[in-house]
Amino acid sequence: MIIRFPHLVMSASLVLGSFVCFAQTAPRNGDPKLTEYWDPAVRIVTPGKTNADPPSDAIVLFGGKDLSKWKSEKDGSDAKWKIEGDALVVTGGTGGILTREAFGDCQLHIEWRTPAKVVGESQGRGNSGIFLMGKYELQVLDSYNNRTYSNGQAGSIYKQFPPLVNASRGPGEWQAYDIIFTAPVFYENGALKSPARITVFHNGVLVQNNTTIWGATQYVGTPNYEPHGAKEPLMLQDHGNPVAYRNIWIRPI
Ligand code: MG
């Protein structure tokens, strides 16, 4: 049976569900097909062998070989960061790198490693960052036995929200973020219609749970929203520390 208005069926199901909460003895006879909907079918995606491997519909932004999907934030030229083995290493002073493609709502997997040799402290130790849409920073930092301000440690939405827990591995160990990002939406006049939201798993542990982002990341002062496109490039930050990245893939939603 084809249901042409599945949302109406779902609404009806919710109403029915609410009713059942109050009336456990309500009769359950009639046609069970009324609460089924078949179209559209759920799209099939072949999962990777592990949760870290890119699934079949992911865009691989860095797979260990080349930087063709990236450019320099400074002048749009080819990205200058080094490739060492299968890792991409921040080359201090060359600036951040931007994806050539722009993204809005997305699922992002990214692995990162702070230097095994611990140098510096607080914000100076293994600092980089993942800027969704080039504007909203999910902090990358060596936060293993390294106290800093809580809303500036690994897993924080920088200068806004600390992570729910510190799930950091030690320096020199590979770590992963799995991110679900909802882009902000602006009215035509530039006013904010709906803010950005983010869910983050750090090494498989939930650290941001559908967090509402206050605005573009600011080092000084309070964040605020400036209107921008529905899709913007992803940026990785050059904070001067040789942080490594690998296995970066994204699924636009
Ligand atoms: Mg940073």
Side-chain angles (χ1 to χ4, degrees):
M1 181 170 98
I2 293 174
I3 301 282
R4 294 196 183 278
F5 302 101
H7 56 290
L8 293 181
V9 175
M10 289 309 291
S11 303
S13 308
L14 288 171
V15 170
L16 182 65
S18 309
F19 177 73
V20 168
C21 285
F22 295 102
Q24 293 294 328
T25 56
R28 290 179 181 275
N29 46 28
D31 186 357
K33 289 192 179 329
L34 284 173
T35 46
E36 299 175 2
Y37 79 86
W38 286 69
D39 294 301
V42 176
R43 191 163 56 93
I44 295 170
V45 173
T46 308
K49 287 191 181 67
T50 73
N51 290 347
D53 288 342
S56 59
D57 64 346
I59 298 168
V60 176
L61 294 173
F62 179 71
K65 290 194 172 63
D66 69 83
L67 275 172
S68 58
K69 298 263 175 40
W70 299 84
K71 63 184 179 183
S72 167
E73 70 161 338
K74 280 188 170 174
D75 55 11
S77 61
D78 291 346
K80 306 290 188 300
W81 292 7
K82 285 177 298 201
I83 296 177
E84 293 177 359
D86 65 350
L88 167 61
V89 183
V90 178
T91 306
T94 62
I97 60 172
L98 292 168
T99 53
R100 293 187 185 279
E101 192 172 344
F103 302 99
D105 296 357
C106 64
Q107 173 187 351
L108 173 68
H109 175 90
I110 185 162
E111 296 174 26
W112 53 275
R113 183 184 64 192
T114 60
K117 187 180 175 207
V118 171
V119 177
E121 59 179 359
S122 189
Q123 292 290 305
R125 184 186 297 182
N127 194 334
S128 181
I130 297 152
F131 282 68
L132 283 305
M133 306 192 93
K135 293 171 174 63
Y136 311 102
E137 183 183 13
L138 169 61
Q139 175 69 305
V140 168
L141 193 76
D142 176 0
S143 287
Y144 187 85
N145 291 332
N146 179 32
R147 191 78 176 92
T148 187
Y149 40 95
S150 299
N151 62 353
Q153 69 182 63
S156 68
I157 304 307
Y158 184 72
K159 288 276 181 91
Q160 297 185 29
F161 301 98
L164 293 169
V165 293
N166 182 348
S168 297
R169 295 189 178 124
E173 291 189 70
W174 281 106
Q175 313 200 46
Y177 282 150
D178 286 281
I179 301 160
I180 300 160
F181 178 75
T182 304
V185 179
F186 299 92
Y187 290 107
E188 241 169 59
N189 69 4
L192 182 69
K193 185 175 184 186
S194 59
R197 304 184 75 87
I198 191 166
T199 294
V200 180
F201 294 88
H202 182 189
N203 299 324
V205 180
L206 184 69
V207 293
Q208 297 290 342
N209 185 9
N210 200 24
T211 301
T212 300
I213 297 177
W214 283 338
T217 299
Q218 300 293 336
Y219 181 54
V220 178
T222 52
N224 60 302
Y225 279 100
E226 298 283 348
H228 56 71
K231 294 183 178 182
E232 298 284 347
L234 177 72
M235 191 190 80
L236 302 182
Q237 183 188 40
D238 170 12
H239 203 281
N241 302 141
V243 172
Y245 289 95
R246 72 174 183 189
N247 193 21
I248 309 171
W249 51 262
I250 193 165
R251 296 181 62 247
I253 299 170

